[in-house]
Each structure stands twice: as C-alpha cells, then as structure tokens.
Amino acid sequence: MQSPTPAATRLAAFVSSAIVPDTARATARDAVLDTVGVMLAGATEPAAQIVQRVARTDGGAGSSVIFGTNDTVGPTYAALANGTAAHALDFDDMCWVTLAHPSAPLVAAGLAVGEAADVSGRTLLDAYVVGFEVEAVLGAVMNPTHYERGWHCTSTIGTIGAAATASRVLGLDLETTARALAIAASEASGLKENFGTMVKPLQGGLAARNGVLAALL
C-alpha cells in the first residue's frame, strides 16, 4: 500500500505552484493596505517601540523597512517589528476559521522578504493569498480545539502561514517550501495566557519573524 503524502509536501505543492485568481488578488490588495494602516498606527505603541529598539541595535544592515520609522534592517527583524506593530492595537483583521488575526504575520513577513528580494507587488499579493489559504486549512482541521487548549492561533498557525508567504515570495520550489513549512512547524508557539500584556502583539511579530527565518533557512 502506498504511503500517504506528508502534509508539509501537500501544502508545499500548493504554495509553490497555485495559480491565484484576480478576484483573490484584489481582496488581498485590500487586506495588505488595511494591515499597513494598522501597522503604521501601532508603530507608536509601547510594545512596538520596544521591539523597534531591539531591531535597530540587533537587526543588522538590510533593506527591509521598519514601518513608522526611517530604519531599515534585515528581513527577520523587520518582520518582527512590523508584525508586532500590526497587532499592537488589535484592530487587524480576524478570521473565524483560523481563530487568528491572519494578516499581521502574513503581511509583515511578505513585505520584509519582498523588500529584501525586490519582488513585485503582484508577487507579494499572490504570496499573501497562498499563506492565508494554508492558515485556513490548518484552522479548519485544528480549531476550535487548538484555541480552546490555550494556544494563540495568530502566532501558532500564523507562523506556518508566514512561512508559506515568505516561501512564495522567494520563489522556493516544492522541496524547499516543504522544508520551510516543516521548520516553521517546529518554531510555532504562542499562548493565550499572555493576553492582556505586550506579549500578545509580540506573538504576532514572532510569527512573522519565524516564518521568514524558516523560509530563509
């Protein structure tokens, strides 16, 4: 009997080769613009500014912008700072399938890697769509149990979605995308126990950063 195809391989096949329809791309454009708006608004929040200071001192040279500042750093730290800012006010979009705020990690990861790789806006939008779809599949399978057991889905499921988005931006093939998703699964974490503290938005940033790191590795 033939062995089942690993989930990471099945997801990677979709991420690396899916053809994104124009209607999905148009919706993605609106989601990205909305997320950039809340990212800029959240960039002045204490949680975001703490992460920005760390990113400036520890993020190294790079071409990825920390939104709301004049600073550019490497893509992992830009994703961390921008993902945190996007979730700092809790006005970022919500998905009832994933029980997560999907766009904060997806957009932060996609923009950070996209700037570093100098890709087109169309590539970014397509990458957002496949990342969102990966999150939706995982959410449909895992929730509500995953959320009810105390996991913060924006961070856990978001890490894998961000890795999918970053992988698509970088043009990774099926095999390397599968590796990135597997690495992201090992990185995925985030606890509802930290709700009400600055760690909640930080977990959005960590999801973006970990997704970028997984794809780069």
Side-chain angles (χ1 to χ4, degrees):
M1 186 174 66
Q2 187 176 8
S3 299
T5 303
T9 302
R10 294 171 63 189
L11 291 172
F14 170 77
V15 170
S16 60
S17 63
I19 297 173
V20 177
D22 289 339
T23 52
R25 197 176 291 120
T27 300
R29 179 197 60 205
D30 293 342
V32 170
L33 288 172
D34 178 76
T35 305
V36 169
V38 294
M39 191 182 289
L40 288 169
T44 61
E45 290 295 299
Q49 294 195 328
I50 291 170
V51 176
Q52 290 164 14
R53 288 199 296 270
V54 173
R56 277 193 291 268
T57 58
D58 201 39
S63 56
S64 300
V65 173
I66 299 176
F67 277 67
T69 76
N70 294 319
D71 301 311
T72 57
V73 293
T76 56
Y77 272 93
L80 176 65
N82 295 332
T84 301
H87 197 41
L89 293 170
D90 232 355
F91 287 153
D92 45 322
D93 58 5
M94 176 68 188
C95 172
W96 296 107
V97 176
T98 60
L99 297 181
H101 298 261
S103 291
L106 294 178
V107 174
L111 285 172
V113 175
E115 287 180 304
D118 194 24
V119 302
S120 68
R122 183 186 181 96
T123 298
L124 171 66
L125 295 179
D126 287 0
Y128 172 92
V129 171
V130 298
F132 194 104
E133 288 293 316
V134 166
E135 287 201 33
V137 168
L138 293 175
V141 171
M142 297 165 63
N143 283 320
T145 304
H146 181 66
Y147 185 81
E148 290 170 349
R149 288 181 175 175
W151 298 106
H152 183 195
C153 300
T154 299
S155 188
T156 54
I157 295 175
T159 295
I160 300 172
T165 292
S167 296
R168 179 71 177 234
V169 168
L170 293 172
L172 303 187
D173 62 17
L174 187 155
E175 182 178 357
T176 48
T177 299
R179 291 177 182 173
L181 295 177
I183 292 169
S186 289
E187 296 173 306
S189 187
L191 302 176
K192 288 166 60 183
E193 189 67 21
N194 283 313
F195 284 12
T197 76
M198 286 190 283
V199 177
K200 184 178 189 288
L202 174 64
Q203 289 181 118
L206 290 171
R209 182 204 67 179
N210 290 342
V212 169
L213 178 60
L216 292 176
L217 290 173

